[in-house]
Amino acid sequence: MKKTMTKAAGVVLGLALAGTLGGVGTAEAQVQPSVTAPTAAPAISAAGTSGPAVQTPASVVADLKAATSRARAALAPNARVICYAAHVQDIGWQAAVCDGAVAGTTGQSRRMEALAVSTSGVGGVCADAHLADIGWQGWACGSDGQVVTVGTTGQSRRMEALGVQVGSGSVGAQAHVEGYGWLSSVSGNPVYAGTTGQSRRMEAVRIWV
C-alpha cells in the first residue's frame, strides 16, 4: 500500500512538474520564437533604392517624407529618425508613424502585407520581408530621405517577419504576431522580428533607432 501511494505521489509530482515546465516552454516560445535570418543585407548606397518592386502610392511616399522631416525638426537637424507606414488587410496604407509608434493593428486579426520605411541621420536603411508562400523577399535599400518598401499589395499575402538594417548605429524592432501578441523587442544591426516557418501573420510592428 505504501509503495502504491508513493508511486501515485510520484506520478502527481511528475505531472505537476511537466505542467510547470510545459508552461515555461510555452512562455519562452511566445517571448522569442525562432526567425530564420535571410542572407546578409547589402551595403547601403547613397546612389538610390534597390530591391523588390512594390507599388507604393505617391501619397504614401509624400506622407513618409513629411513625417520624417517633422520628426527630425522636432529633435535636431542631425537626429536619428525612422518613420514607417504599414499596408494592412482590408485597410490599405495607414498614415506614417515614427520612432517606436505602432504601425498595423492589434486585436483585429488583420495581416500586415507591406511596410514602407524612411530614415534620417542613420545613413540609410535596408529592409526585407518574409512573406507567405514566398519566404524572404530580398533586401531593398535606400539612403536617408528615400522611401524603401517591402512586402506586397493586392495579393492578400501575409507578412510573417521583417528584417531591418541601418547604415550606422543600431536599430530596434518589436513585432505583434498572430497567436503570440507582442514578442520581445530586439536590437542590433540588422534585426529580425516576427516568425518564420510557422505560417503566422505579423499584425503590427514598432521600430526605433
Side-chain angles (χ1 to χ4, degrees):
M1 181 70 177
K2 186 175 180 181
K3 287 184 178 180
T4 303
M5 290 180 66
T6 302
K7 184 177 180 181
V11 170
V12 171
L13 179 60
L15 289 173
L17 283 172
T20 301
L21 292 173
V24 171
T26 301
E28 287 178 350
Q30 289 176 345
V31 167
Q32 197 54 61
S34 62
V35 178
T36 303
T39 56
I44 298 170
S45 171
T49 58
S50 61
V54 182
Q55 293 297 321
T56 311
S59 58
V60 174
V61 172
D63 182 37
L64 266 169
K65 289 185 175 182
T68 304
S69 296
R70 286 194 303 270
R72 184 181 65 238
L75 297 171
N78 59 348
R80 294 173 60 84
V81 173
I82 187 164
C83 296
Y84 40 98
H87 188 280
V88 177
Q89 174 187 357
D90 299 327
I91 293 176
W93 286 105
Q94 296 179 316
V97 296
C98 302
D99 300 322
V102 176
T105 61
T106 61
Q108 298 183 35
S109 300
R110 297 181 189 271
R111 64 181 174 269
M112 276 182 56
E113 298 176 342
L115 190 76
V117 186
S118 175
T119 58
S120 178
V122 299
V125 64
C126 289
D128 194 358
H130 190 280
L131 308 174
D133 303 320
I134 291 178
W136 287 107
Q137 186 179 29
W139 289 99
C141 300
S143 58
D144 279 340
Q146 294 180 315
V147 174
V148 171
T149 306
V150 293
T152 60
T153 60
Q155 298 184 30
S156 300
R157 192 182 300 278
R158 68 179 176 271
M159 183 183 293
E160 299 175 344
L162 176 72
V164 184
Q165 176 175 296
V166 292
S168 65
S170 66
V171 59
Q174 184 179 25
H176 189 281
V177 174
E178 173 191 1
Y180 286 138
W182 285 108
L183 306 182
S184 293
S185 60
V186 291
S187 61
N189 196 30
V191 294
Y192 305 98
T195 61
T196 58
Q198 299 186 34
S199 300
R200 296 180 185 270
R201 65 180 175 267
M202 181 186 291
E203 299 176 342
V205 69
R206 301 171 57 237
I207 311 173
W208 56 92
V209 291

